[in-house]
Amino acid sequence: QVQLVESGGGLVQAGGSLRLSCAASGNLFSIIAMGWYRQAPGKQRELVAAVNSGGRINYADNVKGRFTISRDNAKNTVSLQMNSLKPEDTAVYYCNAVQAYGQGSLNYWGQGTQVTVSS
């Protein structure tokens, strides 16, 4: 089992910045990727950014150039620096970890942290 605890959400005006952090604990063997997803009201959960064990980073097109994901393997944390925030970034943000398991993988999720961007 992997436990993920997020922090850093809140309310910010458009154009502002927030930093989200996620601390992972438990059985962290074979974690192959960590990242952030978000879900706005009435919408499906979507990928924001993710980094795999090889350091490859993937961003959603609508956050490229504004958001930066970073992972600290020594501290088992992943962070998301969000700059130039827009009202459409408003959502619950979830930390995600993917663990290799047999022929497949397991997904773990944090409890979510609310990010609200006012116009």
Side-chain angles (χ1 to χ4, degrees):
Q1 285 286 338
V2 175
Q3 293 78 43
L4 303 171
V5 178
E6 302 114 334
S7 61
L11 172 65
V12 65
Q13 288 188 333
S17 298
L18 282 174
R19 184 176 180 86
L20 306 182
S21 294
C22 173
S25 61
N27 179 10
L28 302 180
F29 183 74
S30 295
I31 296 295
I32 57 177
M34 293 188 72
W36 291 92
Y37 286 70
R38 67 187 181 188
Q39 187 167 18
K43 295 187 177 181
Q44 290 188 332
R45 191 173 297 189
E46 63 177 6
L47 172 71
V48 177
V51 53
N52 69 13
S53 55
R56 182 174 179 177
I57 293 174
N58 184 33
Y59 290 104
D61 287 342
N62 54 10
V63 306
K64 285 180 180 177
R66 301 187 298 122
F67 292 9
T68 303
I69 190 171
S70 59
R71 182 176 174 182
D72 186 331
N73 291 324
K75 296 182 178 179
N76 297 316
T77 60
V78 62
S79 298
L80 185 69
Q81 177 66 41
M82 305 185 292
N83 298 328
S84 302
L85 282 160
K86 304 175 181 180
E88 51 263 44
D89 294 318
T90 295
V92 178
Y93 284 69
Y94 296 92
C95 180
N96 168 261
V98 182
Q99 185 176 52
Y101 183 80
Q103 298 297 316
S105 60
L106 296 173
N107 270 280
Y108 296 95
W109 298 93
Q111 79 283 1
T113 185
Q114 177 70 47
V115 171
T116 302
V117 184
S118 63
S119 57

